[in-house]
Amino acid sequence: MANIRDVANHAEVSVSSVSNVLNNRTDQMRPETLARIRQAMLELNYQPNRIAQQLKTGQTRMIGLLVPSIVNPSFAMLTREIDRAAKASQYRVLLGNTYRQADEERAFLEDMFAHGVKGVIVVATAMDRPHFVEAARQGLVMVNYDSLMSRDTLNGNPPFDSVSMDNVEAGRLATEHLIQRGCRQLVFVTESSLTISRSHKIEGFFVAAKEHGLQQSARVIEGTAKFAYGDAEMTELGRALAAKILQACPVPDGIVAINDALGIGLMAGLRDARIRIPEDISVIGIDNIPLADLVQPPMSSVIPPLTEMVNMMMKRLLMRIENPSLAPEAFLFAPKLISRQSVIEGEKQHIR
Amino acid sequence: MANIRDVANHAEVSVSSVSNVLNNRTDQMRPETLARIRQAMLELNYQPNRIAQQLKTGQTRMIGLLVPSIVNPSFAMLTREIDRAAKASQYRVLLGNTYRQADEERAFLEDMFAHGVKGVIVVATAMDRPHFVEAARQGLVMVNYDSLMSRDTLNGNPPFDSVSMDNVEAGRLATEHLIQRGCRQLVFVTESSLTISRSHKIEGFFVAAKEHGLQQSARVIEGTAKFAYGDAEMTELGRALAAKILQACPVPDGIVAINDALGIGLMAGLRDARIRIPEDISVIGIDNIPLADLVQPPMSSVIPPLTEMVNMMMKRLLMRIENPSLAPEAFLFAPKLISRQSVIEGEKQHIR
DNA sequence: TTGAAAGCGATACCAT
DNA sequence: ATGGTATCGCTTTCAA
């Protein structure tokens, strides 16, 4: 492949001039010279070598994307958005599945340094662990998605931005919806490993219950998935938990699932047990994966404003790569309710 | 960040010696010198700059992954496998969604050159178009997944490897299964845009029908999705096509769906029309996305041996990067049938 | 066994 | 308006 010197020779100019046109510094250039250089580039099918550019400038137009597992539809949708936003800024996405394993995460971060990647989006992973803190200290710019950590967990100022749906509000919204529709025996169903976003959702569940004097009966039921990152595992867990829920006394009439995958499994399990949804039990999920609309009945859910969130992440990443001294911030986005058919059309009158 | 010269100075040796230990050429080295260098690396927290290494060696340990859309669960599963296989060879994955758009594909390929990526996996995309042929001519090593092209389409020798499920066999297997279970009015349902793999599946459908003297009644019913790459769109299409199928005369008793997403939508649409599955109509999909096991009834499907296929792709990619003169080959993998509950438990006795 | 120096392909400063 | 050249961090050949 032709390099900058070949082009320079071919056009009978210096490499500097070629470099100038590469970098759009053509204002002072004689149009004729410019034309000759352009021509030479075309004829030689010249493509500038980014590796060399990077070595010189220290900039790679790549961002890292660390996800627990791309097979999770929420993360797949997120990834598509990130890819879109990255392209809009002329960036490419370097993907890594880490299954929330510390050694996978560490390896990914190391590779980011090695490949000269300056900015990484870390999805749904607690970032108070040493490898993340250390990477930040070494200058890696990171944005966390959906694992907002408390300041004290990070003793003081977190060294990265954070973008998240307001998970307390999401839990509250889902629960409130059930209550408005007349449910009184509320259960929140979750996987037992506690991530930040999960505990926030649970918090929102209790906030809503309390608001309506239902804190006595409101319960959390949990189970352990083989792997906490997978979607198939989540759905399996949901299916398995249906039995546990039906043993509960009294049997609930409204269920909030920590995420859609679990909720869908739950619905399948309940249906197997001849429970009618929503007549006997109402179910609502959180996250709104595409699948939620395809099951029977279509499942109501709570949805994060994905595009806005991704745009913010990209914006912050680029800003802080440009200006590393910029203080990290936390951004919270309000979720919305998507009402479908898995929640009973009960008493719609305003309660209390 | 410390560089190789800092380490050399700190250890009071030359950069060459440091480079030698980086590249494991320590056999001739005095253990004492080696120890000093190792020590210096640790103390300075030295990480070799891969960009600089790449500029010198021309090698980036990244492979490109071009997918129509990561949101499609089949491609997400594939991506996870590719990520695993890449890590096993110390590679990382550079992801691009192209939505089967020529300009997106072109941009992706250009970026691969720009980033020094030598090998790309191209998923479910016809590669007879000029930008792929040209990229191959310029030395990009590619493996195609699931779009095996006929040799004449590529006039002569295709310039890339190809790994694919035997789609004719997949279509045949699915159809044969329906026939074995007693279905006689067969319909193959598909999206109307014809990819290679799709026409092969249809071919297999007719092969099986013919084998059992059912070619007269066997029909293809198709519809057009808004976007042919999306999963949600596929499912929507399936749902919409249910009506069209029920208008067909005679109404079919066995349906092969071109992929699971469409099959699942179809089942939803049929159920809305009060058709019982599998009692009234049997449905079988192709691809085996995780979802297939979660719908009601769980959908039978035909499954490609994903891990083996991905290992082969990775192996071929690395082989041909090392030795570009290696002739490309096409690899076909036999699919397997996964029997669940969407096909009637009909006459199991051997037919004809 | 270790070191010196050229070179990978760009950029950018300083001349002219 | 254009050119010369040091430089980025590493690899590799050749010399000592």
Side-chain angles (χ1 to χ4, degrees):
Chain A
M1 283 237 299
N3 66 23
I4 200 172
R5 268 215 315 280
D6 298 329
V7 176
N9 291 337
H10 197 88
E12 299 180 290
V13 294
S14 72
V15 290
S16 317
S17 295
V18 180
S19 175
N20 281 333
V21 357
L22 281 183
N23 294 279
N24 289 318
R25 286 183 293 256
T26 56
D27 25 316
Q28 314 264 53
M29 191 175 276
R30 227 161 61 215
E32 180 195 313
T33 317
L34 175 58
R36 258 203 345 275
I37 295 175
R38 286 254 156 77
Q39 182 62 26
M41 287 177 168
L42 279 179
E43 284 177 19
L44 298 178
N45 200 307
Y46 171 68
Q47 299 280 32
N49 180 325
R50 296 282 156 104
I51 302 289
Q53 290 179 324
Q54 286 161 32
L55 177 58
K56 186 64 190 174
T57 63
Q59 286 287 339
T60 323
R61 293 190 91 78
M62 292 192 295
I63 59 167
L65 174 56
L66 186 159
V67 290
S69 168
I70 190 68
V71 173
N72 183 319
S74 312
F75 300 155
M77 282 171 53
L78 179 68
T79 300
R80 177 176 58 181
E81 283 298 315
I82 290 172
D83 187 41
R84 175 196 56 70
K87 276 178 200 158
S89 302
Q90 314 257 59
Y91 272 68
R92 285 284 169 193
V93 175
L94 204 45
L95 178 75
N97 294 278
T98 62
Y99 311 105
R100 294 212 176 92
Q101 309 273 305
D103 48 350
E104 293 266 12
E105 292 168 0
R106 227 183 328 260
F108 186 78
L109 294 174
E110 276 175 16
D111 283 5
M112 293 306 100
F113 281 107
H115 285 295
V117 174
K118 295 280 186 288
V120 173
I121 294 177
V122 178
V123 176
T125 300
M127 289 181 70
D128 54 346
R129 295 200 316 290
H131 44 287
F132 289 113
V133 176
E134 177 63 14
R137 214 186 52 70
Q138 297 197 151
L140 192 64
V141 175
M142 290 180 277
V143 186
N144 183 283
Y145 177 83
D146 194 38
S147 285
L148 180 60
M149 317 220 55
S150 61
R151 298 189 148 265
D152 42 316
T153 310
L154 292 160
N155 46 356
N157 292 334
F160 23 76
D161 288 297
S162 175
V163 164
S164 181
M165 166 165 78
D166 183 339
N167 282 299
V168 178
E169 175 62 11
R172 202 199 58 77
L173 210 56
T175 313
E176 176 80 24
H177 182 61
L178 291 178
I179 297 173
Q180 294 292 348
R181 292 293 184 85
C183 300
R184 287 297 173 273
Q185 294 298 332
L186 301 176
V187 161
F188 189 98
V189 182
T190 181
E191 208 279 333
S192 56
S193 61
L194 263 195
T195 65
I196 316 295
S197 68
R198 283 180 192 160
S199 56
H200 282 174
K201 288 171 181 171
I202 296 175
E203 185 183 333
F205 169 71
F206 282 117
V207 165
K210 201 163 198 171
E211 254 176 43
H212 294 275
L214 262 29
Q215 66 272 46
Q216 295 304 330
S217 56
R219 289 154 291 168
V220 172
I221 292 185
E222 59 179 45
T224 308
K226 264 179 307 201
F227 306 101
Y229 55 85
D231 200 51
E233 290 83 3
M234 271 299 166
T235 318
E236 256 337 294
L237 175 63
R239 198 166 219 155
L241 281 175
K244 193 165 177 180
I245 285 163
L246 295 174
Q247 285 164 12
C249 185
V251 170
D253 57 4
I255 301 178
V256 182
I258 187 92
N259 58 46
D260 279 14
L262 193 139
I264 287 165
L266 204 56
M267 282 174 44
L270 292 174
R271 191 176 37 221
D272 289 351
R274 306 262 162 239
I275 302 293
R276 293 168 305 160
I277 298 168
E279 293 80 359
D280 301 327
I281 302 181
S282 293
V283 177
I284 183 168
I286 299 180
D287 275 359
N288 192 43
I289 61 179
L291 180 50
D293 200 21
L294 303 175
V295 291
Q296 209 54 24
M299 187 175 67
S300 298
S301 190
V302 171
I303 165 181
L306 209 49
T307 304
E308 290 85 339
M309 293 171 81
V310 167
N311 287 343
M312 176 61 89
M313 291 198 285
M314 199 66 207
K315 179 180 152 194
R316 292 295 301 183
L317 227 40
L318 298 186
M319 279 176 69
R320 297 195 45 233
I321 287 173
E322 193 135 335
N323 176 12
S325 67
L326 189 67
E329 289 181 42
F331 301 88
L332 229 47
F333 287 76
K336 288 207 185 70
L337 186 81
I338 299 275
S339 175
R340 288 193 271 251
Q341 281 105 62
S342 63
V343 174
I344 199 163
E345 302 260 351
E347 50 180 292
K348 283 194 177 173
Q349 68 275 29
H350 202 62
I351 294 184
R352 76 167 212 164
Chain B
M1 282 235 300
N3 66 24
I4 199 172
R5 267 215 316 281
D6 299 329
V7 176
N9 290 337
H10 197 89
E12 299 181 290
V13 295
S14 72
V15 290
S16 319
S17 295
V18 180
S19 174
N20 281 333
V21 354
L22 280 183
N23 294 279
N24 288 318
R25 286 183 293 256
T26 56
D27 25 315
Q28 314 264 54
M29 191 175 276
R30 228 162 58 215
E32 178 195 315
T33 318
L34 175 57
R36 261 207 338 279
I37 295 175
R38 286 256 156 78
Q39 182 62 25
M41 288 178 167
L42 280 178
E43 283 176 20
L44 298 177
N45 200 305
Y46 171 68
Q47 298 280 33
N49 180 326
R50 297 284 155 103
I51 303 289
Q53 289 178 325
Q54 285 160 33
L55 177 58
K56 189 64 189 173
T57 62
Q59 284 288 339
T60 323
R61 294 190 89 80
M62 292 193 294
I63 60 166
L65 174 55
L66 186 161
V67 290
S69 167
I70 189 69
V71 174
N72 183 319
S74 312
F75 300 155
M77 282 171 52
L78 180 68
T79 300
R80 178 177 56 179
E81 283 297 316
I82 290 172
D83 186 41
R84 174 196 57 69
K87 277 177 199 159
S89 302
Q90 314 258 61
Y91 271 69
R92 286 284 170 195
V93 175
L94 204 46
L95 179 73
N97 293 278
T98 62
Y99 312 105
R100 296 214 175 90
Q101 309 272 304
D103 47 350
E104 294 265 14
E105 292 168 359
R106 228 183 328 260
F108 186 77
L109 294 175
E110 276 174 16
D111 283 4
M112 293 306 101
F113 281 107
H115 285 294
V117 174
K118 295 279 184 290
V120 173
I121 294 176
V122 179
V123 176
T125 300
M127 290 182 67
D128 54 347
R129 299 203 311 291
H131 43 288
F132 288 113
V133 177
E134 177 62 15
R137 214 187 51 70
Q138 297 196 149
L140 193 65
V141 175
M142 289 180 277
V143 185
N144 183 281
Y145 178 83
D146 195 38
S147 285
L148 180 61
M149 318 220 53
S150 60
R151 300 192 146 263
D152 41 316
T153 311
L154 291 161
N155 48 357
N157 293 333
F160 22 76
D161 288 296
S162 174
V163 164
S164 180
M165 168 165 76
D166 183 339
N167 282 298
V168 178
E169 174 62 11
R172 201 198 60 75
L173 210 55
T175 312
E176 176 80 23
H177 182 61
L178 292 179
I179 297 172
Q180 294 291 351
R181 292 292 184 87
C183 301
R184 288 296 173 274
Q185 294 297 333
L186 302 176
V187 162
F188 189 98
V189 182
T190 182
E191 208 279 335
S192 55
S193 62
L194 262 194
T195 64
I196 316 294
S197 68
R198 283 180 193 160
S199 56
H200 281 175
K201 288 172 181 171
I202 296 175
E203 185 182 333
F205 170 71
F206 283 116
V207 165
K210 200 163 198 173
E211 255 177 40
H212 294 276
L214 262 29
Q215 66 272 45
Q216 296 302 331
S217 54
R219 290 153 290 168
V220 172
I221 292 186
E222 59 179 44
T224 307
K226 267 179 307 199
F227 304 101
Y229 54 85
D231 200 52
E233 291 82 4
M234 269 300 164
T235 318
E236 258 334 297
L237 175 63
R239 198 168 218 152
L241 280 176
K244 194 165 176 182
I245 285 163
L246 295 174
Q247 283 163 13
C249 184
V251 169
D253 57 5
I255 301 178
V256 182
I258 188 94
N259 59 46
D260 279 13
L262 193 138
I264 287 166
L266 203 57
M267 282 174 42
L270 291 174
R271 188 176 38 219
D272 289 351
R274 307 262 163 238
I275 302 293
R276 292 168 306 159
I277 297 168
E279 293 79 359
D280 301 328
I281 302 182
S282 293
V283 177
I284 183 168
I286 299 179
D287 275 358
N288 192 44
I289 61 180
L291 180 50
D293 199 21
L294 305 174
V295 291
Q296 209 54 26
M299 187 174 67
S300 299
S301 189
V302 172
I303 166 182
L306 209 49
T307 303
E308 290 85 340
M309 293 171 82
V310 166
N311 288 343
M312 176 62 89
M313 289 198 286
M314 199 64 206
K315 177 179 153 194
R316 293 295 300 183
L317 228 41
L318 299 186
M319 279 176 69
R320 295 193 48 232
I321 288 173
E322 193 134 339
N323 175 12
S325 67
L326 190 66
E329 290 180 42
F331 301 88
L332 229 46
F333 286 75
K336 288 206 185 71
L337 185 81
I338 298 276
S339 175
R340 288 193 271 253
Q341 280 106 64
S342 64
V343 174
I344 198 164
E345 302 260 352
E347 51 179 290
K348 283 195 176 172
Q349 69 276 28
H350 201 64
I351 294 183
R352 75 166 215 163

